Amino acid sequence: MATLGDGSMFYCDIDSDTGKLTKKKKIALGIHSTTLQLFHAFDANHVFASSDRPTVIYSNSGKLVFSTVNMQDINHMCPINTSAYPDALALASSSGFTVGSVATIQKLHIQTIPLGESPKKIAYQEATSTYGIITLRNNNVTAPSVSTLCQNVSDSSDVANGMDPDSRFKKDSNNTEVHNLIIMDKKTYEVLHVHRFAPTEWALSIHSYFCNEKHYFVVGTGFVTADDTEPKDGRLIIFRWDGNTLNQIASTDVKGAVICVTEVCGKILAGIKQQGYCL
């Protein structure tokens, strides 16, 4: 399966022996960019298509079935599987954060968690029973939101002070958009901590990472300025939630925006400027 920026998706059969692609077909899943995420339900693999018209894709009798979800404008999906939410999905939309329990493949029982700002990406960390949620808040909106109400707040500008005179980390009261990393309890949905990223720094990707018997959240960012058509610089930042505090463990600058990050063979794989880098 492969999706394009206009919401269309191509899919085809693959010969497991030769790798040859055959029977190519095209379907329109929406009118905006669509992302695909694998998840497991009912003892089978399925694919969730996040878009303006989200869709669950699964195989039935050797054919692909496309089932429309009873929600709209899903930005990102993360599968979770716990005793409280078996075979469930965590969904981020422009209006809030939702946990969906799959009853049948055509229906989702949902519970909406209002955030007051736009969620962009989600990662679930089972070991700490938390979600890591990337959000975007508009400073021109005066209504309260989870990041403004939380008492436990850290700031990239504070972290960098005394260590790096880089102007990217200087606080700017004129900055209208702020990207945040929110740590949320999986059971109570309480916001445990908020980390605000540097001015002009957009958080673009997140992944729960396990290394040396410890669990981390890895966030990829890009520095966006009015003069650049695309980010020239970005960062990979490693955070650790210890149950009480979110600590920034490490940070490294990269040449370009980190649009995606995942784990491969115990190492971090980051997508930067249409290339993959293993760290």
Side-chain angles (χ1 to χ4, degrees), residues 2 10 16 19 81-82 97 107 121 123 130 137-139 145 147 157 167 174-175 198 211 225 227-228 246 253 256 272:
F10 290 90
S16 58
N81 187 17
T82 67
F97 166 62
K107 298 180 181 179
K121 301 288 182 180
T130 58
R137 188 187 79 248
N138 190 326
N139 275 339
S145 66
S147 65
S157 300
S167 61
N174 295 321
N175 188 38
C211 180
T225 65
D227 298 330
D228 298 327
L246 183 70
D253 290 349
I272 307 170

Side-chain angles (χ1 to χ4, degrees), residues 31-276:
I31 58 175
H32 299 305
S33 178
T34 302
T35 58
L36 305 176
Q37 176 69 48
L38 185 70
F39 73 97
H40 193 79
F42 305 106
D43 298 321
N45 288 327
H46 302 76
V47 174
F48 191 96
S50 300
S51 69
D52 55 300
R53 295 202 297 266
T55 304
V56 172
I57 307 169
Y58 61 102
S59 177
N60 186 13
S61 301
K63 296 183 179 181
L64 285 184
V65 178
F66 300 83
S67 180
T68 303
V69 177
N70 58 343
M71 296 181 67
Q72 292 184 347
D73 296 321
I74 299 299
N75 298 325
H76 190 67
M77 184 281 287
C78 175
I80 58 175
N81 187 17
T82 67
S83 57
Y85 295 99
D87 291 335
L89 310 177
L91 309 171
S93 69
S94 58
S95 58
F97 166 62
T98 300
V99 175
S101 178
V102 182
T104 67
I105 206 59
Q106 288 82 16
K107 298 180 181 179
L108 286 174
H109 296 307
I110 63 173
Q111 179 179 356
T112 300
I113 312 300
L115 299 178
E117 48 197 81
S118 299
K120 297 298 182 182
K121 301 288 182 180
I122 309 173
Y124 173 60
Q125 193 168 95
E126 183 175 5
T128 60
S129 298
T130 58
Y131 300 106
I133 309 172
I134 290 174
T135 67
L136 170 63
R137 188 187 79 248
N138 190 326
N139 275 339
N140 292 329
V141 178
T142 58
S145 66
V146 290
S147 65
T148 59
L149 295 175
C150 183
Q151 299 298 312
N152 299 320
V153 179
S154 57
D155 194 301
S156 287
S157 300
D158 294 334
V159 172
N161 281 344
M163 297 190 305
D164 189 344
D166 194 327
S167 61
R168 296 176 303 175
F169 298 100
K170 293 181 179 179
K171 294 183 178 180
D172 183 4
S173 60
N174 295 321
N175 188 38
T176 59
E177 294 184 342
V178 176
H179 282 244
N180 305 295
L181 168 61
I182 293 175
I183 304 299
M184 178 182 286
D185 185 277
K186 78 162 189 178
K187 294 181 179 179
T188 64
Y189 303 114
E190 177 188 359
V191 175
L192 305 173
H193 191 101
V194 172
H195 179 84
R196 296 169 182 160
F197 292 94
T200 73
E201 185 177 28
W202 288 22
L204 303 173
S205 53
I206 186 172
H207 181 72
S208 177
Y209 175 58
F210 178 73
C211 180
N212 295 330
E213 304 301 322
K214 294 182 179 180
H215 294 265
Y216 304 91
F217 285 110
V218 181
V219 177
T221 74
F223 287 92
V224 179
T225 65
D227 298 330
D228 298 327
T229 56
E230 63 180 40
K232 295 181 180 179
D233 300 292
R235 289 197 299 164
L236 268 172
I237 314 169
I238 299 178
F239 297 94
R240 183 168 184 264
W241 173 252
D242 64 7
N244 295 300
T245 307
L246 183 70
N247 299 299
Q248 181 175 312
I249 304 301
S251 172
T252 183
D253 290 349
V254 296
K255 295 297 183 181
V258 185
I259 58 175
C260 59
V261 60
T262 189
E263 181 180 352
V264 176
C265 299
K267 295 185 177 181
I268 298 172
L269 180 64
I272 307 170
K273 282 192 173 181
Q274 301 180 347
Q275 297 185 26

